[in-house]
Amino acid sequence: MTAVLKHELSGYFHSLTAYIFSAFLLAFVGIGAMLYNIQSAVANFEYVLSFVCLGFVIVIPILTMRVIAEEKKQKTDQLLYSLPIKTSEVVAGKYLALLLVFLAPLCIVCVYPLIFAQYGEVYLLTSYGSLFAFFLLGAALIAIGVFISSLTENQGFAAGITIPVILLNYYSVSLAEHVTATAFGSFAALCVFAVVIGVVIRFLTQNENLAYGISILLIIILGVAYFVDSAKFEGLLPDIMTKLSLFERFYSFVNGVFDLTAIVYYVTVIIFFLFLSVQSLEKRRYN
């Protein structure tokens, strides 16, 4: 894993990827700090981070689009499979390299609250708690980007999929106010989601029976639950969309609340999508 980590870091810092990512992220933070802390004379640096969140739509795809897709395109992933290390260690090495690249500009951003504190009252505890949550939010989005990159050989396609996925999650709370809240609407949406799960399993395992079996089982369970008590499905879809939002949980930290459940959720998302990335690479290895 260490060898993969060093190789990836060398690749990022000997190319423009790490510098473009850092430049974009620092530019977003600089614009936010100018608008909120300087021009509006607001002491809350955490508001700047909530402004920068939308910038993840651009910076995360820049960072993750090539991490595995480029290996597949150039066929260098075959060299990784020949190494005496597990696929999970390959994914972990690549992911840790991305986290270190992400952490580099954040170390600079960590100085901002201290600078502003010299000219006014800055809530340092809330600012650094929000910075910690900001790092976890970015880490979760990077894990999603790594998984999407593992599904294709085309960097542009990986970025093109990652952008709408992050946008959808960013606006999921707003969209939840406009989607159907009826019991049948929620039931139908969950059935579609069960089919999507089957498609993902089919892609990762190449086992049609397993994929179809899980999808059918989930739909049967949903059907039985809907038949027994359809009232529980009232407003379920908007509620799920709200709870799945990575960004909404970050706003709790911005509001001064240290939400332990949000940390658990971020860690769970990271582990889940890294696991899917490992399965995606394992499928390619055995094919």
Side-chain angles (χ1 to χ4, degrees):
M1 186 183 75
T2 305
V4 175
L5 173 61
K6 291 180 179 178
H7 176 268
E8 290 296 310
L9 284 176
S10 175
Y12 287 128
F13 286 101
H14 282 85
S15 66
L16 292 177
T17 303
Y19 303 103
I20 292 175
F21 169 80
S22 300
F24 270 106
L25 185 59
L26 291 174
F28 280 117
V29 174
I31 293 171
M34 181 182 66
L35 293 176
Y36 287 93
N37 298 126
I38 299 177
Q39 289 188 352
S40 300
V42 175
N44 304 73
F45 182 73
E46 55 271 18
Y47 292 168
V48 175
L49 298 177
S50 64
F51 166 79
V52 175
C53 278
L54 187 57
F56 278 139
V57 176
I58 298 175
V59 297
I60 295 299
I62 289 175
L63 188 60
T64 62
M65 63 182 183
R66 63 166 294 274
V67 61
I68 297 177
E70 184 67 9
E71 298 274 8
K72 288 185 175 182
K73 182 179 179 180
Q74 297 183 356
K75 307 302 180 184
T76 52
D77 58 331
Q78 304 299 326
L79 296 176
L80 292 176
Y81 300 145
S82 65
L83 294 175
I85 57 176
K86 298 178 181 178
T87 306
S88 57
E89 293 176 324
V90 173
V91 173
K94 288 178 171 292
Y95 180 70
L96 288 176
L98 290 172
L99 285 188
L100 290 176
V101 173
F102 176 47
L103 193 59
L106 281 189
C107 291
I108 299 175
V109 174
C110 286
V111 181
Y112 286 27
L114 296 177
I115 295 175
F116 293 138
Q118 303 301 313
Y119 303 96
E121 184 180 355
V122 177
Y123 308 105
L124 293 178
L125 192 61
T126 304
S127 296
Y128 284 105
S130 299
L131 271 168
F132 174 67
F134 186 79
F135 171 73
L136 289 178
L137 170 60
L141 293 175
I142 288 173
I144 295 173
V146 169
F147 170 62
I148 294 174
S149 180
S150 72
L151 300 178
T152 179
E153 297 180 357
N154 190 312
Q155 294 185 49
F157 182 76
I161 296 298
T162 306
I163 289 173
V165 167
I166 296 177
L167 270 177
L168 180 62
N169 192 269
Y170 182 84
Y171 288 110
S172 61
V173 176
S174 300
L175 293 174
E177 300 175 359
H178 304 287
V179 299
T180 178
T182 64
F184 181 76
S186 297
F187 169 72
L190 290 174
C191 287
V192 172
F193 184 66
V195 173
V196 172
I197 291 176
V199 172
V200 173
I201 293 175
R202 167 69 175 79
F203 178 83
L204 294 177
T205 65
Q206 297 295 313
N207 190 326
E208 294 184 1
N209 293 331
L210 176 65
Y212 295 151
I214 291 178
S215 290
I216 293 172
L217 179 62
L218 290 174
I219 292 174
I220 291 174
I221 293 174
L222 289 170
V224 171
Y226 181 78
F227 179 78
V228 172
D229 189 3
S230 62
K232 290 184 178 180
F233 285 79
E234 292 284 349
L236 183 59
L237 180 58
D239 187 50
I240 290 176
M241 292 179 65
T242 300
K243 289 183 177 179
L244 288 179
S245 173
L246 293 165
F247 295 90
E248 189 66 19
R249 294 175 183 270
F250 168 71
Y251 296 143
S252 299
F253 290 86
V254 174
N255 294 327
V257 178
F258 191 86
D259 189 357
L260 185 59
T261 59
I263 296 176
V264 174
Y265 179 61
Y266 287 140
V267 173
T268 302
V269 169
I270 292 169
I271 294 173
F272 177 70
F273 280 100
L274 290 183
F275 170 77
L276 291 182
S277 301
V278 171
Q279 298 309 307
S280 178
L281 289 183
E282 284 287 338
K283 184 206 74 170
R284 182 173 175 84
R285 164 180 278 182
Y286 291 114
N287 285 345

